[in-house]
Amino acid sequence: MTKARILRGLAQAMGYACLAIGLAHVLLGNQAIPGAGSAGPTVDSLGRFLGAVFAGYGLAWLWAARQRTVPASAVRALAGVFLLGAIGRLLSLAVAGWPHWFQVALTVLELALAPVFFWLANADADTDTDTDTDTDTEERAAPNR
């Protein structure tokens, strides 16, 4: 399997997972957060709002995965946001202590996956450049018809 196919598959998986998780948070509120219990209406409101944002984040991954060439700049930006989320979890761990075990597992996943996306970001662009260089040159040189 080529790096470009891995990138596209991981981007799609990330998009669908984030969309599903985000919608679950919108629909379930605090119940969607392992270990949150009854965190109250303020945290419920925040969780549902951020669930919608996370669903939008998933849609952004799906958009990137559906492009003819997966845009490297979008992958880097989305991976950067993902890494920032992991850093936020580490900050919370340092300030507030150990969360529910599932949150720890998510932190490990986020810290592991973000660098993979950074590494794969150019994979589809590199493939597209290798196969379409002659075609692009001919199309640019051809007059409009």
Side-chain angles (χ1 to χ4, degrees):
M1 183 176 281
T2 67
K3 284 172 50 174
R5 292 185 82 186
I6 293 169
L7 171 62
R8 191 173 301 276
L10 278 176
Q12 286 175 335
M14 182 74 136
Y16 286 121
C18 293
L19 179 60
I21 292 165
L23 292 176
H25 281 265
V26 170
L27 296 173
L28 300 174
N30 288 342
Q31 294 174 347
I33 305 169
S38 174
T42 302
V43 174
D44 185 78
S45 175
L46 178 64
R48 290 177 196 265
F49 172 81
L50 292 176
V53 172
F54 201 61
Y57 177 71
L59 291 174
W61 274 109
L62 290 173
W63 172 85
R66 292 182 53 118
Q67 301 308 300
R68 180 176 175 269
T69 300
V70 177
S73 59
V75 171
R76 281 190 210 96
L78 291 166
V81 169
F82 199 55
L83 182 58
L84 184 60
I87 292 168
R89 288 186 196 271
L90 290 175
L91 181 60
S92 175
L93 190 145
V95 171
W98 287 93
H100 187 274
W101 69 267
F102 189 69
Q103 304 299 322
V104 175
L106 290 175
T107 305
V108 170
L109 181 68
E110 292 155 358
L111 289 170
L113 259 183
V116 171
F117 278 115
F118 285 123
W119 177 64
L120 291 172
N122 284 331
D124 207 20
D126 293 343
T127 302
D128 190 49
T129 302
D130 292 343
T131 58
D132 290 345
T133 303
D134 296 333
T135 307
D136 289 345
T137 304
E138 291 171 12
E139 288 174 2
R140 276 187 256 127
N144 292 336
R145 295 178 195 175

